[in-house]
Amino acid sequence: MAKKRKSGGRSKGGKGNLGKVQCSSCGRLVPRDKAKRKTSYKTLVDFAIGKELRQSGTHIARVPFVKYYCVSCAIHRHHVKIRSEDDRKSR
Ligand SMILES: [Zn+2]
């Protein structure tokens, strides 16, 4: 069978099994190296209070929230795009 991608859509190389993560959107179990990782930062301070604090020069900590998406959810949410055969060759 023809191979669509040299890596098979994964980034593990010769590492073997790296475990699975659950998709944040649909709950599907995806290999960790295949899942699309999306980190968003949120502050635990309320927006109105945070704005005042920032103006007075206070440093407000950002808390990272990591989300993993399966390939179909990542495409549906436009985190990754479908690329043509020629585009897929470029990394
Ligand atoms: Zn999903």
Side-chain angles (χ1 to χ4, degrees), residues 22-28 30 68-74 77:
Q22 211 170 11
C23 173
S24 302
S25 180
C26 68
R28 179 185 289 166
V30 208
Y68 291 96
Y69 292 105
C70 68
V71 172
S72 22
C73 288
R77 288 162 172 264

Side-chain angles (χ1 to χ4, degrees), residues 1-57:
M1 220 170 90
K3 203 170 186 187
K4 210 170 178 182
R5 287 171 189 83
K6 194 181 172 186
S7 64
R10 304 179 67 166
S11 60
K12 70 183 179 73
K15 273 185 252 175
N17 192 2
L18 293 174
K20 289 185 174 181
V21 288
Q22 211 170 11
C23 173
S24 302
S25 180
C26 68
R28 179 185 289 166
L29 283 174
V30 208
R32 182 176 285 274
D33 50 282
K34 189 172 190 171
K36 301 297 164 194
R37 186 189 157 119
K38 201 84 187 171
T39 311
S40 60
Y41 293 92
K42 282 171 187 167
T43 54
L44 299 173
V45 188
D46 185 56
F47 179 74
I49 301 163
K51 200 178 172 187
E52 273 182 40
L53 286 168
R54 236 176 284 122
Q55 281 172 348
S56 63

